[in-house]
Amino acid sequence: MALIDVEELSRSYRIGSSWVKALDGVSLTIQQGEFVAVRGPSGSGKSTFMNILGCLDRPTEGKYRLDGIEVGSLHHDVLASIRNRRIGFVFQSFNLLPRASALENVELPLLYRRMWPGKRRRRALAMLEQIGLRDRASHRPAELSGGQQQRVAIARALVTEPLVLLADEPTGALDSQTGQEIMTILRALNVAGLTIVVVTHENEVAANADRIVTFRDGRVVPEGSETPGGLDLGATRHLSLVRTNAR
């Protein structure tokens, strides 16, 4: 059974008197332990797709199963619990609380679980140590570099022991060297068994993944098609697990 199974997924938004279809019949699976890069030009639907995977949005049509659970129509309280317990998020802008220390930022998802403070702190410290920032536990985000802030964000995403890590342009606010350091961390986490889905528009970032899924006009580009950047995905990445609804 696939960890993520999306079937004929569509998402439409009303803008004024018109409806705009951001996703149009997307079908694909992601197996446990995969590292998948999702890319495409602005407006291609990749961010909408990521929001649905993260239970931040609902599909208009189609089905989304996470670890065998059909989550598309669940109550918002249940979706919030799934986000907290099964999904880790990493964002381009880090999304750290500016007045909280690195430790307090990492503790935050466990606070929502009402975990006992001592256990919460020990787990958060262990995560900071894992990403090499235990000595910065008391520092606030303004006292950290961009790369360090993103590492804190990764620790925060991992502290709940999620099934999947969703990273939306995780290197977008970083220089190239620091960005590659972040991708090295994500690659190591994947090697250790964590399923990772990264949204990116950068070829260098996508190259770290085992599989690249390209979106265009709300659909998945069929295997072997040319991307806007001219890269033949069929020649560079194995896409046999992607079931597209090419029309």
Side-chain angles (χ1 to χ4, degrees), residues 1 3 22 76-77 82 100-101 138 149-150 171 174 216 243:
M1 182 177 64
L3 179 61
H76 62 84
D77 289 340
I82 288 174
S101 67
S138 63
Q149 290 184 61
Q150 193 60 294
T171 65
L174 306 173
R216 190 184 301 157
R243 304 193 305 271

Side-chain angles (χ1 to χ4, degrees), residues 39-41 203 212 214 216 221 224-234:
R39 71 174 188 176
N203 291 343
I212 299 174
T214 299
R216 190 184 301 157
V221 176
S225 297
E226 288 290 318
T227 70
L231 180 63
D232 184 355
L233 299 184

Side-chain angles (χ1 to χ4, degrees), residues 128-179:
L128 285 173
E129 184 168 6
Q130 182 175 333
I131 53 101
L133 284 181
R134 185 176 178 129
D135 61 339
R136 297 290 190 271
S138 63
H139 288 58
R140 293 183 178 182
E143 300 170 315
L144 302 172
S145 69
Q148 289 172 334
Q149 290 184 61
Q150 193 60 294
R151 286 155 68 187
V152 171
I154 291 171
R156 180 185 58 192
L158 296 177
V159 77
T160 60
E161 300 179 339
L163 293 175
V164 58
L165 180 67
L166 303 180
D168 190 359
E169 299 285 2
T171 65
L174 306 173
D175 63 77
S176 58
Q177 179 177 345
T178 305

Side-chain angles (χ1 to χ4, degrees), residues 3 54-55 66-67 69 77-89 108-115 119 123 156-165 194:
L3 179 61
C55 298
L66 175 63
D67 197 29
I69 301 172
D77 289 340
V78 180
L79 290 178
S81 178
I82 288 174
R83 286 194 300 269
N84 181 266
R85 297 179 178 274
R86 295 173 181 256
I87 304 170
F89 295 92
L108 190 60
L110 303 179
L111 179 65
Y112 294 147
R113 286 191 188 182
R114 300 180 180 178
M115 182 178 287
K119 182 178 181 181
R123 186 181 290 188
R156 180 185 58 192
L158 296 177
V159 77
T160 60
E161 300 179 339
L163 293 175
V164 58
L165 180 67
L194 182 63

Side-chain angles (χ1 to χ4, degrees), residues 15 23 34 45 55 128 139 146 161 173-174 184 186 200 208 219:
I15 300 178
L23 292 178
E34 275 200 279
C55 298
L128 285 173
H139 288 58
E161 300 179 339
L174 306 173
T184 298
L186 295 184
T200 183
N208 289 273
R219 302 171 184 169

Side-chain angles (χ1 to χ4, degrees), residues 10-86:
S10 294
R11 182 64 168 102
S12 298
Y13 298 95
R14 189 179 187 114
I15 300 178
S17 60
S18 302
W19 286 90
V20 175
K21 184 167 280 190
L23 292 178
D24 186 10
V26 171
S27 296
L28 63 85
T29 60
I30 297 174
Q31 304 296 331
Q32 184 174 356
E34 275 200 279
F35 191 153
V36 177
V38 176
R39 71 174 188 176
S42 178
S44 64
K46 63 184 187 298
S47 294
T48 301
F49 178 70
M50 182 68 92
N51 287 338
I52 291 176
L53 290 191
C55 298
L56 299 169
D57 195 6
R58 299 174 185 269
T60 306
E61 300 176 58
K63 295 182 178 180
Y64 166 34
R65 300 179 187 90
L66 175 63
D67 197 29
I69 301 172
E70 209 290 297
V71 300
S73 59
L74 293 177
H75 189 271
H76 62 84
D77 289 340
V78 180
L79 290 178
S81 178
I82 288 174
R83 286 194 300 269
N84 181 266
R85 297 179 178 274
R86 295 173 181 256

